[in-house]
Amino acid sequence: MHQGSVPANLKPMFLFHMLYNESLELAAQPIVNLRTGRVEAVEILSRAPGGVLRPDEMFSLARQYGVLEQLTLLSCRKLTQKIQTIKPFLEKGLFFNIEADVSKQTLEQTVRIFKFSCEDTVVLEVTEHMPSGFAWRHFTDQLGVAIAMDDLGRGNSNMVELMRMRPHFVKICMELVRDLHKSGAKSLMIENFKQIGDLFNMQLIAEGIELLEDLQKLREIGIEYGQGYYFSRPCPIDQVPVDEWKIGYQAIIK
């Protein structure tokens, strides 16, 4: 099967079939130190088998049919089974995407599962598809994990939410990173984000880096970490190019 081969009315059935058979797949993408080229963190992405459901579609259906918690915990358990593959690359943390509206109980259970199987820093990367007044920073500090705010500069991920959440990490959305070297306005916005991050001790990570020119501009602004197709597309966690990641990307960041 491939994306689009399942009629819309059958997609919920596919979701339940996937959950029942635990056939969910995981992809990994490296987060790179833009000064050294070293892979220092990994983002984990949940994928429906065969790409039948887009990630946002999969989570939207899970929310609609009341199985968002089940999908989240399945992703978590799947990751703990595969974590040895990526352990050499978790100096800054293991970034695990989580929807902003999952229950507190699911968050606590997710953290317990990770802490049992992972000694590295766990970073809950919150996807702000729905506004949330939840006290994320206080909650994650209590649990002993870090938090990342996803997609700063797009949609609901705005400056008010940033100040409310006070995350350890902030992801700059790819729309701002794309063609950054051509846009003084984008550069100014990211420079402002950098100043705010420095002031409140938030580490910035640029998403969607595809061009050397944009990478160079990010380095000029002082953004220390990034990810994107320029380095590596997300790949199945079983197929992570361990040797390539260990070498790093020094040769292509200058």
Coordinates of all heavy atoms in Angstrom, one line a residue, residues 78-163:
K78 N 7.6 1.1 21.0 CA 8.4 0.8 19.8 C 9.8 1.3 19.8 O 10.8 0.7 19.5 CB 7.7 1.3 18.5 CG 6.5 0.5 18.1 CD 6.9 -0.7 17.2 CE 5.7 -1.4 16.6 NZ 6.2 -2.5 15.6
L79 N 9.9 2.6 20.3 CA 11.2 3.2 20.3 C 12.1 2.6 21.3 O 13.3 2.4 21.0 CB 11.0 4.7 20.7 CG 12.3 5.5 20.8 CD1 13.2 5.4 19.6 CD2 12.0 7.0 21.1
T80 N 11.6 2.2 22.5 CA 12.5 1.5 23.5 C 13.0 0.2 23.0 O 14.1 -0.2 23.4 CB 11.7 1.3 24.8 OG1 10.6 0.4 24.6 CG2 11.2 2.6 25.4
Q81 N 12.3 -0.4 22.0 CA 12.8 -1.7 21.4 C 14.0 -1.4 20.4 O 14.7 -2.3 20.2 CB 11.7 -2.4 20.7 CG 10.6 -2.8 21.7 CD 9.3 -3.3 20.9 OE1 9.3 -3.4 19.7 NE2 8.2 -3.5 21.6
K82 N 14.1 -0.2 19.9 CA 15.1 0.1 18.9 C 16.1 1.1 19.3 O 17.0 1.4 18.5 CB 14.3 0.7 17.7 CG 13.1 -0.1 17.2 CD 13.6 -1.3 16.4 CE 12.4 -1.9 15.7 NZ 12.8 -3.1 14.9
I83 N 16.1 1.5 20.6 CA 16.9 2.6 21.0 C 18.4 2.4 20.9 O 19.2 3.3 20.7 CB 16.5 3.0 22.4 CG1 16.9 4.5 22.6 CG2 17.1 2.1 23.5 CD1 16.3 5.1 23.8
Q84 N 18.9 1.1 20.9 CA 20.3 0.8 20.9 C 21.0 1.4 19.6 O 22.1 1.8 19.6 CB 20.6 -0.7 21.1 CG 20.3 -1.2 22.5 CD 21.1 -0.5 23.5 OE1 22.3 -0.2 23.4 NE2 20.4 -0.2 24.7
T85 N 20.2 1.4 18.5 CA 20.8 1.8 17.3 C 21.2 3.3 17.3 O 22.2 3.6 16.7 CB 19.7 1.7 16.2 OG1 19.2 0.3 16.1 CG2 20.2 2.1 14.8
I86 N 20.5 4.1 18.0 CA 20.8 5.5 18.0 C 21.5 6.0 19.3 O 21.8 7.2 19.4 CB 19.5 6.3 17.8 CG1 18.5 6.0 18.9 CG2 18.9 6.1 16.4 CD1 17.2 6.9 18.8
K87 N 21.7 5.2 20.2 CA 22.3 5.6 21.5 C 23.6 6.4 21.4 O 23.9 7.3 22.2 CB 22.5 4.4 22.4 CG 21.3 4.0 23.2 CD 21.5 3.0 24.2 CE 22.2 3.6 25.5 NZ 21.3 4.5 26.2
P88 N 24.5 6.1 20.3 CA 25.8 6.8 20.2 C 25.5 8.3 19.9 O 26.5 9.1 19.9 CB 26.5 6.1 19.1 CG 25.9 4.8 19.0 CD 24.5 5.0 19.4
F89 N 24.3 8.7 19.5 CA 24.1 10.1 19.0 C 23.1 10.9 19.9 O 22.5 11.8 19.4 CB 23.5 9.9 17.6 CG 24.3 9.0 16.7 CD1 23.7 7.7 16.4 CD2 25.5 9.3 16.2 CE1 24.4 6.8 15.6 CE2 26.2 8.4 15.5 CZ 25.7 7.2 15.1
L90 N 23.1 10.6 21.2 CA 22.1 11.3 22.0 C 22.7 12.2 23.1 O 22.2 12.4 24.2 CB 21.2 10.2 22.7 CG 20.5 9.3 21.8 CD1 19.7 8.3 22.6 CD2 19.6 10.0 20.8
E91 N 23.9 12.8 22.7 CA 24.6 13.7 23.6 C 23.6 14.8 24.1 O 23.6 15.2 25.3 CB 25.8 14.3 23.0 CG 26.6 15.2 23.8 CD 27.8 15.7 23.1 OE1 28.4 15.0 22.3 OE2 28.2 16.9 23.4
K92 N 22.9 15.4 23.2 CA 22.0 16.5 23.6 C 20.6 16.0 23.9 O 19.8 16.7 24.6 CB 21.9 17.6 22.4 CG 23.1 18.3 22.2 CD 23.5 19.2 23.3 CE 22.6 20.4 23.5 NZ 23.1 21.4 24.5
G93 N 20.2 14.8 23.4 CA 19.0 14.3 23.8 C 18.3 13.5 22.7 O 18.7 13.5 21.6
L94 N 17.3 12.7 23.2 CA 16.4 11.9 22.3 C 15.1 12.7 22.2 O 14.3 12.9 23.2 CB 16.1 10.6 22.9 CG 15.1 9.7 22.3 CD1 15.5 9.3 20.9 CD2 14.8 8.5 23.2
F95 N 14.8 13.2 21.0 CA 13.6 14.1 20.8 C 12.5 13.2 20.3 O 12.5 12.6 19.3 CB 13.9 15.1 19.7 CG 14.8 16.3 20.2 CD1 16.1 16.1 20.6 CD2 14.2 17.6 20.3 CE1 16.9 17.1 21.1 CE2 15.0 18.6 20.8 CZ 16.3 18.4 21.2
F96 N 11.4 13.2 21.2 CA 10.3 12.3 20.9 C 9.0 13.2 20.8 O 8.7 14.0 21.7 CB 10.1 11.4 22.1 CG 8.9 10.4 22.0 CD1 8.9 9.3 21.1 CD2 7.7 10.7 22.7 CE1 7.8 8.5 21.0 CE2 6.6 9.8 22.6 CZ 6.7 8.7 21.7
N97 N 8.4 13.2 19.6 CA 7.2 14.0 19.4 C 6.0 13.6 20.2 O 5.7 12.4 20.3 CB 6.9 14.0 17.9 CG 7.8 14.8 17.0 OD1 7.5 16.0 16.7 ND2 8.9 14.3 16.7
I98 N 5.4 14.6 20.7 CA 4.1 14.3 21.5 C 3.1 15.4 21.3 O 3.5 16.6 21.2 CB 4.5 14.1 23.0 CG1 3.4 13.4 23.7 CG2 4.8 15.4 23.7 CD1 3.8 12.7 25.0
E99 N 1.9 15.0 21.1 CA 0.8 16.0 20.8 C 0.5 16.8 22.1 O 0.5 16.2 23.2 CB -0.4 15.3 20.3 CG -0.3 14.5 19.0 CD 0.0 15.4 17.9 OE1 -0.9 16.3 17.6 OE2 1.0 15.3 17.2
A100 N 0.2 18.0 21.9 CA 0.0 18.9 23.1 C -1.2 18.6 23.9 O -1.2 18.9 25.1 CB -0.1 20.4 22.6
D101 N -2.1 17.8 23.4 CA -3.4 17.6 24.1 C -3.5 16.2 24.6 O -4.6 15.7 25.0 CB -4.6 17.9 23.2 CG -4.5 17.1 21.9 OD1 -3.5 16.9 21.3 OD2 -5.6 16.7 21.4
V102 N -2.4 15.4 24.7 CA -2.4 14.1 25.4 C -2.6 14.3 26.9 O -2.3 15.4 27.4 CB -1.2 13.3 25.2 CG1 -1.0 12.9 23.7 CG2 0.1 13.9 25.7
S103 N -3.1 13.3 27.6 CA -3.4 13.5 29.0 C -2.1 13.5 29.8 O -1.1 13.0 29.4 CB -4.3 12.3 29.5 OG -3.6 11.1 29.5
K104 N -2.3 14.1 31.0 CA -1.2 14.1 31.9 C -0.7 12.7 32.3 O 0.5 12.4 32.4 CB -1.6 14.9 33.2 CG -0.5 15.0 34.3 CD -1.0 15.8 35.5 CE 0.1 15.8 36.5 NZ -0.4 16.6 37.7
Q105 N -1.7 11.8 32.4 CA -1.4 10.4 32.7 C -0.5 9.7 31.6 O 0.4 9.0 31.9 CB -2.7 9.6 33.0 CG -3.4 10.0 34.2 CD -4.2 11.3 34.1 OE1 -4.4 11.8 33.0 NE2 -4.4 12.0 35.2
T106 N -0.9 10.1 30.4 CA -0.1 9.5 29.2 C 1.3 10.1 29.2 O 2.3 9.3 29.0 CB -0.8 9.8 27.9 OG1 -2.1 9.1 27.9 CG2 0.0 9.3 26.7
L107 N 1.5 11.4 29.5 CA 2.8 11.9 29.6 C 3.6 11.3 30.7 O 4.8 10.9 30.5 CB 2.7 13.4 29.9 CG 2.3 14.4 28.8 CD1 1.9 15.8 29.3 CD2 3.3 14.4 27.7
E108 N 3.0 11.1 31.8 CA 3.8 10.4 32.9 C 4.1 9.0 32.6 O 5.3 8.5 32.9 CB 2.9 10.4 34.2 CG 2.7 11.8 34.8 CD 1.7 11.9 35.9 OE1 0.8 11.0 36.0 OE2 1.8 12.8 36.7
Q109 N 3.2 8.3 31.9 CA 3.5 6.9 31.5 C 4.6 6.9 30.5 O 5.5 6.0 30.5 CB 2.3 6.2 31.0 CG 2.4 4.7 30.9 CD 1.1 4.0 30.6 OE1 0.0 4.7 30.7 NE2 1.1 2.8 30.2
T110 N 4.6 7.8 29.5 CA 5.6 7.9 28.5 C 7.0 8.1 29.2 O 8.0 7.4 28.8 CB 5.3 9.1 27.6 OG1 4.1 8.8 26.9 CG2 6.4 9.3 26.6
V111 N 7.1 9.0 30.1 CA 8.3 9.3 30.8 C 8.8 8.0 31.5 O 10.0 7.7 31.5 CB 8.2 10.5 31.7 CG1 9.5 10.6 32.5 CG2 8.0 11.7 30.9
R112 N 7.9 7.3 32.2 CA 8.3 6.1 33.0 C 8.9 5.1 32.0 O 9.9 4.4 32.4 CB 7.1 5.6 33.7 CG 6.7 6.3 35.0 CD 5.8 5.5 35.9 NE 4.6 5.1 35.2 CZ 3.5 5.8 35.3 NH1 3.5 7.0 35.9 NH2 2.4 5.4 34.7
I113 N 8.3 4.9 30.9 CA 8.8 3.9 29.9 C 10.2 4.3 29.5 O 11.1 3.4 29.4 CB 7.8 3.8 28.7 CG1 6.5 3.2 29.2 CG2 8.4 2.9 27.6 CD1 5.4 3.2 28.1
F114 N 10.4 5.5 29.1 CA 11.7 6.0 28.7 C 12.7 5.9 29.8 O 13.9 5.4 29.5 CB 11.6 7.4 28.1 CG 11.1 7.5 26.7 CD1 10.1 8.5 26.4 CD2 11.6 6.7 25.7 CE1 9.7 8.6 25.1 CE2 11.1 6.8 24.4 CZ 10.1 7.8 24.1
K115 N 12.4 6.3 30.9 CA 13.4 6.3 32.0 C 13.8 4.8 32.4 O 14.9 4.6 32.8 CB 12.8 7.0 33.3 CG 12.8 8.5 33.1 CD 12.7 9.2 34.5 CE 13.0 10.6 34.3 NZ 13.1 11.3 35.6
F116 N 12.9 3.9 32.1 CA 13.3 2.5 32.4 C 14.3 1.9 31.4 O 15.1 1.1 31.7 CB 12.0 1.6 32.4 CG 12.2 0.2 32.7 CD1 12.4 -0.3 34.0 CD2 12.2 -0.8 31.6 CE1 12.6 -1.6 34.3 CE2 12.5 -2.1 31.9 CZ 12.7 -2.5 33.2
S117 N 14.2 2.5 30.2 CA 15.1 1.9 29.1 C 16.1 2.8 28.6 O 16.9 2.4 27.7 CB 14.2 1.4 28.0 OG 13.5 2.6 27.4
C118 N 16.1 4.1 29.0 CA 17.0 5.1 28.4 C 17.7 5.9 29.4 O 17.0 6.6 30.2 CB 16.2 5.9 27.4 SG 17.2 7.2 26.6
E119 N 19.0 5.9 29.5 CA 19.7 6.8 30.4 C 20.0 8.1 29.9 O 20.5 9.0 30.6 CB 21.1 6.1 30.8 CG 20.9 4.7 31.5 CD 22.2 4.0 31.7 OE1 23.2 4.6 31.3 OE2 22.2 3.0 32.4
D120 N 19.7 8.4 28.6 CA 20.0 9.6 28.0 C 18.9 10.6 28.2 O 17.9 10.3 28.7 CB 20.2 9.4 26.4 CG 21.3 8.4 26.1 OD1 22.5 8.8 26.2 OD2 21.0 7.3 25.8
T121 N 19.2 11.9 27.9 CA 18.2 13.0 28.1 C 17.1 12.7 27.1 O 17.2 12.6 25.9 CB 18.9 14.3 27.8 OG1 20.0 14.5 28.7 CG2 17.8 15.4 28.0
V122 N 15.9 12.7 27.7 CA 14.7 12.6 26.9 C 14.1 14.0 26.7 O 13.9 14.7 27.7 CB 13.6 11.7 27.6 CG1 12.3 11.7 26.8 CG2 14.2 10.3 27.7
V123 N 13.8 14.3 25.5 CA 13.2 15.7 25.2 C 11.8 15.4 24.6 O 11.7 14.8 23.5 CB 14.1 16.5 24.2 CG1 13.5 17.8 23.9 CG2 15.5 16.6 24.7
L124 N 10.8 15.9 25.2 CA 9.4 15.8 24.7 C 9.2 17.0 23.8 O 9.2 18.1 24.2 CB 8.4 15.8 25.8 CG 8.5 14.6 26.8 CD1 7.4 14.8 27.9 CD2 8.4 13.3 26.2
E125 N 9.1 16.7 22.5 CA 8.9 17.7 21.5 C 7.4 17.9 21.3 O 6.7 17.1 20.7 CB 9.6 17.4 20.2 CG 9.6 18.4 19.1 CD 10.4 18.2 18.0 OE1 11.5 17.5 18.1 OE2 10.1 18.6 16.8
V126 N 6.9 19.0 21.7 CA 5.5 19.3 21.7 C 5.0 19.9 20.4 O 5.5 20.9 20.0 CB 5.0 20.2 22.9 CG1 3.5 20.4 22.9 CG2 5.5 19.6 24.2
T127 N 4.1 19.2 19.8 CA 3.5 19.7 18.5 C 2.3 20.5 18.9 O 1.3 19.9 19.3 CB 3.2 18.6 17.5 OG1 2.3 17.6 18.2 CG2 4.5 17.8 17.1
E128 N 2.3 21.8 18.6 CA 1.3 22.7 19.1 C 0.1 22.8 18.0 O -0.2 23.9 17.5 CB 1.8 24.1 19.4 CG 2.6 24.1 20.6 CD 1.7 23.9 21.9 OE1 0.7 24.6 21.9 OE2 2.1 23.1 22.7
H129 N -0.5 21.6 17.7 CA -1.6 21.7 16.8 C -2.8 22.3 17.5 O -3.8 22.8 16.9 CB -2.0 20.3 16.2 CG -0.9 19.8 15.4 ND1 -0.5 20.4 14.2 CD2 -0.1 18.7 15.5 CE1 0.5 19.7 13.6 NE2 0.7 18.7 14.4
M130 N -2.8 22.2 18.8 CA -3.9 22.7 19.6 C -3.4 23.6 20.7 O -2.4 23.2 21.4 CB -4.8 21.6 20.2 CG -5.4 20.7 19.1 SD -6.3 19.3 19.9 CE -7.7 20.2 20.7
P131 N -3.9 24.8 20.9 CA -3.3 25.7 22.0 C -3.5 24.9 23.3 O -4.4 24.2 23.6 CB -4.2 26.9 21.9 CG -4.8 26.9 20.5 CD -5.0 25.5 20.2
S132 N -2.5 25.1 24.2 CA -2.5 24.5 25.5 C -1.9 25.4 26.5 O -0.9 26.0 26.4 CB -1.6 23.2 25.4 OG -1.5 22.6 26.7
G133 N -2.7 25.6 27.6 CA -2.2 26.4 28.7 C -1.5 25.5 29.8 O -1.3 26.0 30.9
F134 N -1.3 24.3 29.5 CA -0.6 23.3 30.4 C 0.7 23.9 30.8 O 1.5 24.4 30.0 CB -0.5 22.0 29.7 CG 0.0 20.9 30.6 CD1 -0.8 20.4 31.7 CD2 1.2 20.3 30.4 CE1 -0.4 19.4 32.5 CE2 1.7 19.3 31.2 CZ 0.9 18.8 32.3
A135 N 1.1 23.7 32.1 CA 2.3 24.2 32.6 C 3.4 23.2 32.3 O 3.9 22.5 33.1 CB 2.2 24.4 34.1
W136 N 3.8 23.2 31.0 CA 4.8 22.2 30.5 C 6.1 22.2 31.3 O 6.6 21.2 31.7 CB 5.0 22.4 29.0 CG 3.9 22.0 28.2 CD1 2.9 22.7 27.6 CD2 3.6 20.6 27.7 NE1 2.0 22.0 26.9 CE2 2.4 20.7 27.0 CE3 4.2 19.4 28.0 CZ2 1.9 19.6 26.4 CZ3 3.7 18.3 27.4 CH2 2.5 18.4 26.6
R137 N 6.7 23.4 31.4 CA 8.1 23.4 32.0 C 8.1 22.9 33.4 O 8.9 22.2 33.8 CB 8.6 24.9 31.9 CG 10.0 25.1 32.4 CD 11.0 24.3 31.6 NE 12.3 24.4 32.2 CZ 13.3 25.2 31.6 NH1 13.0 25.9 30.6 NH2 14.5 25.2 32.2
H138 N 7.1 23.3 34.2 CA 7.0 22.9 35.6 C 6.8 21.4 35.6 O 7.5 20.7 36.4 CB 5.9 23.6 36.3 CG 5.6 23.1 37.7 ND1 6.5 23.4 38.7 CD2 4.6 22.4 38.3 CE1 6.1 22.9 39.9 NE2 5.0 22.2 39.6
F139 N 6.0 20.9 34.8 CA 5.6 19.5 34.8 C 6.9 18.6 34.3 O 7.2 17.6 35.0 CB 4.5 19.2 33.8 CG 4.1 17.8 33.7 CD1 3.4 17.2 34.8 CD2 4.3 17.0 32.6 CE1 3.0 15.8 34.7 CE2 3.9 15.7 32.5 CZ 3.2 15.1 33.5
T140 N 7.5 19.0 33.3 CA 8.7 18.3 32.8 C 9.9 18.4 33.8 O 10.6 17.4 33.9 CB 9.1 18.7 31.4 OG1 9.3 20.1 31.4 CG2 8.0 18.3 30.4
D141 N 10.0 19.5 34.4 CA 11.1 19.6 35.4 C 10.9 18.7 36.5 O 11.8 18.0 37.1 CB 11.2 21.1 35.9 CG 11.9 22.0 35.0 OD1 12.5 21.5 34.0 OD2 11.8 23.2 35.2
Q142 N 9.6 18.5 36.9 CA 9.3 17.6 38.0 C 9.6 16.1 37.6 O 10.1 15.3 38.4 CB 7.8 17.7 38.4 CG 7.4 18.8 39.2 CD 6.0 18.8 39.6 OE1 5.1 18.4 38.9 NE2 5.7 19.2 40.9
L143 N 9.4 15.8 36.3 CA 9.6 14.5 35.8 C 11.1 14.2 35.5 O 11.5 13.1 35.2 CB 8.7 14.2 34.6 CG 7.2 14.1 34.9 CD1 6.5 13.9 33.5 CD2 6.9 13.0 35.9
G144 N 11.9 15.3 35.4 CA 13.3 15.1 35.1 C 13.5 14.9 33.6 O 14.5 14.2 33.2
V145 N 12.7 15.5 32.7 CA 12.9 15.4 31.3 C 13.0 16.8 30.7 O 12.6 17.8 31.4 CB 11.9 14.6 30.5 CG1 11.9 13.1 31.0 CG2 10.5 15.2 30.8
A146 N 13.4 17.0 29.5 CA 13.4 18.3 28.9 C 12.2 18.5 27.9 O 11.6 17.5 27.6 CB 14.7 18.5 28.1
I147 N 12.0 19.7 27.5 CA 10.9 19.9 26.6 C 11.3 20.8 25.4 O 12.2 21.7 25.6 CB 9.7 20.6 27.4 CG1 8.5 20.8 26.5 CG2 10.1 21.9 27.9 CD1 7.3 21.2 27.2
A148 N 10.8 20.5 24.3 CA 11.1 21.3 23.1 C 9.8 21.8 22.5 O 8.8 21.1 22.5 CB 11.8 20.5 22.0
M149 N 9.7 23.1 22.1 CA 8.6 23.6 21.4 C 8.8 23.5 19.9 O 9.9 24.0 19.4 CB 8.4 25.1 21.8 CG 7.2 25.8 21.1 SD 7.0 27.5 21.7 CE 5.7 28.0 20.6
D150 N 7.9 23.0 19.2 CA 8.1 22.7 17.7 C 7.5 23.9 16.9 O 6.6 24.6 17.3 CB 7.3 21.4 17.4 CG 7.6 20.9 16.0 OD1 8.7 21.2 15.5 OD2 6.8 20.2 15.4
D151 N 8.1 24.1 15.8 CA 7.6 25.0 14.7 C 7.4 26.5 15.2 O 6.4 27.1 14.9 CB 6.3 24.5 14.2 CG 6.5 23.3 13.3 OD1 7.6 23.2 12.7 OD2 5.5 22.5 13.1
L152 N 8.4 27.0 15.9 CA 8.3 28.5 16.2 C 8.3 29.3 14.9 O 9.1 29.1 14.0 CB 9.5 28.9 17.1 CG 9.5 30.4 17.5 CD1 8.3 30.7 18.3 CD2 10.8 30.7 18.2
G153 N 7.3 30.2 14.8 CA 7.2 31.0 13.6 C 6.0 30.6 12.7 O 5.8 31.2 11.7
R154 N 5.3 29.5 13.1 CA 4.2 29.0 12.3 C 3.0 28.7 13.2 O 3.1 28.1 14.2 CB 4.6 27.7 11.5 CG 3.5 27.2 10.6 CD 4.0 26.1 9.8 NE 4.3 24.9 10.6 CZ 4.7 23.7 10.1 NH1 5.0 23.7 8.8 NH2 4.9 22.7 10.8
G155 N 1.8 29.0 12.7 CA 0.6 28.6 13.4 C 0.5 29.1 14.8 O 0.8 30.2 15.2
N156 N 0.1 28.1 15.7 CA -0.1 28.4 17.1 C 1.2 28.5 17.9 O 1.2 28.9 19.0 CB -0.9 27.3 17.7 CG -2.3 27.3 17.1 OD1 -2.9 28.3 16.9 ND2 -2.9 26.1 16.9
S157 N 2.3 28.2 17.3 CA 3.6 28.3 18.0 C 4.1 29.7 18.0 O 5.1 30.0 17.2 CB 4.6 27.3 17.4 OG 4.2 26.0 17.5
N158 N 3.5 30.6 18.7 CA 3.8 32.0 18.7 C 4.6 32.4 19.9 O 4.9 31.6 20.8 CB 2.6 32.8 18.5 CG 1.6 32.5 19.6 OD1 1.9 32.3 20.8 ND2 0.3 32.5 19.3
M159 N 5.0 33.7 20.0 CA 5.8 34.2 21.1 C 5.1 34.1 22.5 O 5.8 33.8 23.5 CB 6.3 35.6 20.8 CG 7.1 35.8 19.5 SD 8.5 34.7 19.5 CE 9.5 35.4 20.8
V160 N 3.8 34.3 22.5 CA 3.1 34.2 23.7 C 3.2 32.8 24.3 O 3.4 32.5 25.5 CB 1.6 34.6 23.6 CG1 0.8 34.3 24.8 CG2 1.5 36.1 23.2
E161 N 3.0 31.8 23.4 CA 3.1 30.4 23.8 C 4.5 30.0 24.2 O 4.7 29.3 25.1 CB 2.6 29.5 22.6 CG 2.3 28.1 23.0 CD 1.2 27.9 24.0 OE1 0.2 28.7 23.9 OE2 1.2 27.0 24.9
L162 N 5.5 30.6 23.5 CA 6.9 30.4 23.9 C 7.1 30.9 25.3 O 7.8 30.1 26.1 CB 7.8 31.2 22.9 CG 9.3 31.1 23.2 CD1 9.8 29.7 22.9 CD2 10.0 32.1 22.3
M163 N 6.7 32.0 25.7 CA 6.9 32.6 27.0 C 6.2 31.8 28.1 O 6.6 31.6 29.2 CB 6.5 34.0 27.1 CG 7.4 35.0 26.3 SD 9.1 35.0 26.9 CE 9.9 33.8 25.8

